[in-house]
Amino acid sequence: MISISELFIGNAYADGAAAGPQGSDIMQFLPLIGLVAVFYFLILRPQQKRAKEQKAMIEALQKGDEVATMGGILGKVTKVSEDNIAIEIADNVVVQVQKAAVQNVLPKGTIKSL
């Protein structure tokens, strides 16, 4: 007679042929290690490099530099403080922006050529 537990839960039979792959532990983790290495070199490392370059550019800002902000404002730096800079975007029009909002420093004379 078959019990209810045997009906729903199959019996587990030991079979020598169905054993897992035989190999060293390092070989099993090799694909995972490779994936982590690819992730680091293609994503993390370039992002860290860009962040370091952005930080160096922001620290090097000085009066007279022409900059473009993340909002698309082009102007000339007139004052640099600890966290903010003053940008002259037109004659006698000065706006205050955070240093982190500066996207890049433009070559001298770029604004006049526009």
Side-chain angles (χ1 to χ4, degrees), residues 73-76 78 87-95 111:
I73 297 174
L74 301 175
K76 185 181 251 184
T78 58
I87 300 176
E88 184 178 16
I89 56 176
D91 292 335
N92 298 324
V93 179
V94 178
V95 294
I111 295 175

Side-chain angles (χ1 to χ4, degrees), residues 53-69:
E53 290 172 354
Q54 180 77 9
K55 183 178 178 183
M57 183 213 35
I58 288 173
E59 289 175 355
L61 282 175
Q62 56 187 349
K63 185 177 178 180
D65 286 344
E66 295 181 0
V67 296
T69 66

Side-chain angles (χ1 to χ4, degrees), residues 34-108:
L35 186 63
V36 169
V38 167
F39 181 76
Y40 175 76
F41 283 110
L42 293 180
I43 297 174
L44 292 178
R45 193 167 177 224
Q47 181 65 27
Q48 290 172 344
K49 185 178 177 183
R50 273 187 247 117
K52 190 183 292 185
E53 290 172 354
Q54 180 77 9
K55 183 178 178 183
M57 183 213 35
I58 288 173
E59 289 175 355
L61 282 175
Q62 56 187 349
K63 185 177 178 180
D65 286 344
E66 295 181 0
V67 296
T69 66
M70 289 183 191
I73 297 174
L74 301 175
K76 185 181 251 184
V77 176
T78 58
K79 181 181 173 187
V80 179
S81 63
E82 188 174 327
D83 295 326
N84 301 321
I85 59 172
I87 300 176
E88 184 178 16
I89 56 176
D91 292 335
N92 298 324
V93 179
V94 178
V95 294
Q96 294 282 333
V97 298
Q98 292 180 338
K99 282 185 175 181
V102 176
Q103 188 171 13
N104 56 12
V105 178
L106 304 171
K108 299 282 186 192

